[in-house]
Structure formats: structure tokens, C-alpha cells
Amino acid sequence: MQDHPPFEIIDGDTGLGLVILADHATNLLPERYGRLGLPDSAFQRHIAYDIGVEGVVRGLNTRLNAPVVMSRFSRLLIDPNRGEDDPTLVMRISDGAIVPGNHPITPEEWQYRLEAFHRPYHDAVSRTIGAVAARTGKAPLVISMHSFTPAWKGVARPWQVTVLWDTDHRAVRPLLAGLEALGDVVVGDNEPYDGALRGDTMFRHCMKPGIAHALIEIRQDEIGSETGIASWVERLAPILARLNADPALHTYEIFPSRTGPY
């Protein structure tokens, strides 16, 4: 039996039409895995989770009353934002850190992690999106929250917040406009990563069924404290409320993916 569940659903009003996700919300591990052979300090780094995101999504839930689905396991165990056939699903090396508990890994253990953690999380996402669609009779708007490091390989990242996406621009364009209108932040578009990732959460739950969506990345030094978290909740909540009020973002429309055909 697992010593903690693989996901948490924070209740909200399914009639609002908005769903918020946090794939890498926590750095938790079941007791059976210890620390995967890593020092405790590794679990305070971005390799283990998206720093600050749990506080942001809890704050957005309080402000907006939209349901939230969060993972409750470290991405070092298995990455819920990867497809089941992605070779980086279970990382052997992450940003220079060798993960002894992941290498070698047996086919049986790989399958166990899929069945015990990855699939239950995605089932919870599917159920929540389905509950919102059933309640409203329309397509939900889905927002996924992540965070990124202030620098990579010694190079500073200038953006404070970015939006990742594939080709469905419906939520992205007004979201970028809303962030840029804040006036006091540097906004990135598909930085520092490309939002087209075959099999990831947005591909699976939004691109394929034609649901409007966007993935927001906040730089981790911006949300590394309670004050920073509160500031970003205050900034994001009215922007997301305006997006969610747009009927055009609650229709189904399938866009081609830059990763190839479905």
C-alpha cells in the first residue's frame, strides 16, 4: 500500500469552466524509495519539483475557486509531464545529478511506477476535466502551472514569466497580452522551453481533444517566498478570470500539433 496518494484534487466550482493543473507540484516520495540514493539537498532543487508552484495553485484556487489537480510525487520518481513512451519518463541523470534509484531500473519497476503514480494522476486530470465539461456543457479552459530556474548552465534567464504552447493560440494570445500589460515583468513566449512536446499533459488532455489551454512558467526566484507567491497570485487571478469569461475559449477545436499527426 502506498504511504501517500499520487495526486491531490483541490475542490472548486466545476461550473466555472476552469481547470488548473500542477504536474510537478511536490518533491514527495513514498517511503519505500527513500531518497532514490540522493542527498536530501537534491529534493530542494528544481530536479525534484517545480519550486513555488504548489503555493501558487493553492492561492489561485482560493481566489478563483477553480478546481486544481496536483501531483503528489517527485518528478525524479516518474515525470507526469511526459508521455508513457518518452525516454525521459524516469530520469537516470538530471541536471548533472545521477539518480542511483533509477539506474538500473527493471521493466517491472518501470511498469509499477506507471500504474501506481503516472496513470492515477492522469486519470484524476481526465476526471476533473470531464466533470467540468459535464457541468457546463462546454469545453473547459485548462491552465497548467510550472516554474523554471533563474539560470541554466551559467546563463541568466531574463524572463520572469513565460507561456508555452504548441499551435492552439486561443488562450495563449490573450494570456500573453494580459501578462505584458502588467508592465513590470519580462514575458517570454515559448521560452525557455518549447511548448510542443508529444505525449505531455497538454498534448494528451488538451491538444488531442481540442480544449483551449496554456502552460504558464514562472521563474523560481519570483515565487521562492510567500510574498512572491502572493504577488503572482494577485497578478494571475484577474488575468485568468478574464480569459475564462471568454466564450471563445470554451469550444472544442482541434489544432495540428508541431510534433506530428495525432
Side-chain angles (χ1 to χ4, degrees), residues 11-19 64-67 128-141 244-245 250:
D11 290 335
D13 183 359
T14 55
L16 292 176
L18 176 64
V19 177
L64 299 172
N65 195 27
T128 303
I129 289 174
V132 171
R135 174 83 180 278
T136 63
K138 301 174 183 177
L141 169 64
N244 191 53
H250 294 285

Side-chain angles (χ1 to χ4, degrees), residues 202-215:
M202 296 291 90
F203 179 92
R204 175 174 179 170
H205 295 283
C206 299
M207 286 294 291
K208 290 180 74 174
I211 292 173
H213 62 282
L215 189 155

Side-chain angles (χ1 to χ4, degrees), residues 12 22 25 37 43 55-56 91 101 128 139 149 158 163 166 171 194 211 223 258 262:
F43 288 84
V56 171
M91 293 292 286
T128 303
T149 59
V163 180
D166 190 340
D194 189 334
I211 292 173
I223 51 174
R258 289 186 281 117
Y262 298 117

Side-chain angles (χ1 to χ4, degrees), residues 131-249:
V132 171
R135 174 83 180 278
T136 63
K138 301 174 183 177
L141 169 64
V142 178
I143 300 294
S144 183
M145 296 299 309
H146 290 253
S147 67
F148 64 96
T149 59
W152 184 252
K153 298 186 185 301
V155 178
R157 288 167 161 170
W159 319 281
Q160 291 156 283
V161 63
T162 74
V163 180
L164 306 190
W165 57 295
D166 190 340
T167 63
D168 186 347
H169 56 82
R170 291 174 293 170
V172 172
R173 296 306 186 199
L175 176 56
L176 284 170
L179 292 170
E180 289 166 354
L182 292 172
D184 61 347
V185 297
V186 179
V187 181
D189 181 352
N190 265 333
E191 299 284 0
Y193 318 110
D194 189 334
L197 180 59
R198 192 167 191 84
D200 73 352
T201 301
M202 296 291 90
F203 179 92
R204 175 174 179 170
H205 295 283
C206 299
M207 286 294 291
K208 290 180 74 174
I211 292 173
H213 62 282
L215 189 155
I216 299 174
E217 293 258 11
I218 305 174
R219 204 173 65 200
Q220 288 167 357
D221 58 322
E222 291 279 318
I223 51 174
S225 66
E226 292 301 319
T227 301
I229 288 169
S231 175
W232 272 102
V233 169
E234 289 299 311
R235 287 164 163 163
L236 288 174
I239 295 173
L240 297 184
R242 287 197 298 272
L243 262 65
N244 191 53
D246 184 350
L249 302 186

